[in-house]
Amino acid sequence: MRYARILTGGRAWWGRVGETDVELLSGSPLRGDPAVVGSVRRDTAHWLPPVVPPVFYAVGLNYPRHIEHAAGLGNPAATVPERPEVGYRANNALTGHRSPIVKPSGLEGRFEAEPELVAVIGRTVRRAGYDEARAAVFGWTIGNDVSARGWQHRDRTFWRSKNSDTFKPMGPWIETAVDALAQTTTLRVNGEQRASFPTGDMVFDPFDYIVEITKHITMRPGDVLWMGAESTCAIAPGDTVEVEIGGIGVLSNPVHLEGNHQS
């Protein structure tokens, strides 16, 4: 099953995505089995981030080749982790499928995309075992971790390099019936493939992270866990960036320069 959030009639709706239509739902599928109350054509849908997370968790340097690449660039933190440790991102950075990634005016240095698998939590869990962690995942979506590397290397934290408005496209929907770790992640810019890697080729998988997180923090329905990327690539205004994960879908976003786009 595929669930999305769309904007129609001036409000946000949960929807169940079919081949041609999106059925509008009376509430969140994370809280039960909502009724169908209408529908819109899928090809005219205005896609929102498929969930607004209570907590936005993000994993870094979780693919061996990404660690090797970062180490080659002189990143002292680029070592294989001994345990799954997680960070956080800001909800204001989220944007939906087909909405623009906005590059801030005056930004210098590398501006990059990273294609990521995203786990969406579907139940409240604390001190989860591995099997319970697997059962806690409601479904999977796609993320594009946009990064401003100049700010990342200059600032003491990731506050603007990873968290600026529109820097975290997510969508287009949540897929509940896929073996996400058995898929392939592909990154394309203007239709040209820039990266492709086995989605599950991680140092620690999503369930390892849920086990570790819930030793200390309660995870709740709607929380998201972005799983890192193997590869990155440069993007620029005028580009269209696509992240595809087999069995889930394609997340596509144009890149605009601040001041040269319409909301």
Side-chain angles (χ1 to χ4, degrees):
M1 199 73 69
R2 289 175 171 175
Y3 294 101
R5 291 175 60 253
I6 64 170
L7 182 66
T8 187
R11 60 166 283 189
W13 292 83
W14 277 95
R16 187 161 52 224
V17 182
E19 291 298 321
T20 59
D21 298 306
V22 180
E23 296 177 329
L24 303 179
L25 302 177
S26 61
S28 168
L30 294 166
R31 295 178 174 82
D33 187 16
V36 175
V37 294
S39 68
V40 298
R41 293 284 300 176
R42 177 168 155 174
D43 56 7
T44 64
H46 181 132
W47 305 92
L48 298 172
V51 65
V52 178
V55 182
F56 184 164
Y57 298 95
V59 173
L61 297 175
N62 193 37
Y63 284 78
R65 285 184 59 188
H66 191 186
I67 295 169
E68 292 171 9
H69 175 72
L73 294 176
N75 183 347
T79 59
V80 177
E82 296 181 358
R83 62 177 183 173
E85 296 185 65
V86 76
Y88 300 91
R89 297 290 178 264
N91 280 357
N92 68 276
L94 291 169
T95 195
H97 176 54
R98 297 181 180 164
S99 294
I101 299 162
V102 181
K103 181 180 180 181
S105 60
L107 174 65
E108 298 180 353
R110 288 180 294 136
F111 191 56
E112 295 185 340
E114 299 183 32
E116 304 202 9
L117 175 69
V118 180
V120 181
I121 302 302
R123 61 179 68 177
T124 300
V125 281
R126 181 76 158 95
R127 298 186 179 90
Y130 193 85
D131 289 344
E132 186 180 3
R134 289 179 64 92
V137 175
F138 174 77
W140 307 91
T141 188
I142 302 169
N144 181 355
D145 179 13
V146 174
S147 301
R149 300 302 187 190
W151 288 347
Q152 182 175 336
H153 298 148
R154 187 182 313 132
D155 298 344
R156 289 193 303 120
T157 71
F158 291 164
W159 73 278
R160 58 177 177 166
S161 65
K162 297 268 189 183
N163 295 312
S164 290
D165 292 350
T166 78
F167 275 24
K168 295 293 172 284
M170 184 169 68
W173 45 64
I174 303 166
E175 172 62 66
T176 64
V178 63
D179 182 356
L181 300 183
Q183 307 304 318
T184 297
T185 298
T186 303
L187 175 64
R188 292 185 292 268
V189 178
N190 303 327
E192 178 184 342
Q193 182 174 303
R194 299 292 182 86
S196 183
F197 55 89
T199 308
D201 192 18
M202 303 172 180
V203 178
F204 295 106
D205 70 25
F207 318 117
D208 294 322
Y209 274 93
I210 293 168
V211 169
E212 186 67 21
I213 291 167
T214 62
K215 289 178 182 177
H216 311 283
I217 300 168
T218 301
M219 300 188 79
R220 304 186 189 280
D223 286 349
V224 296
L225 176 63
W226 289 42
M227 291 307 306
E230 183 183 271
S231 303
T232 71
C233 79
I235 57 175
D239 289 341
T240 297
V241 186
E242 294 179 330
V243 180
E244 180 173 4
I245 300 181
I248 301 177
V250 179
L251 170 66
S252 179
N253 300 90
V255 184
H256 294 178
L257 182 65
E258 186 178 27
N260 292 345
H261 76 286
Q262 296 181 346
S263 302

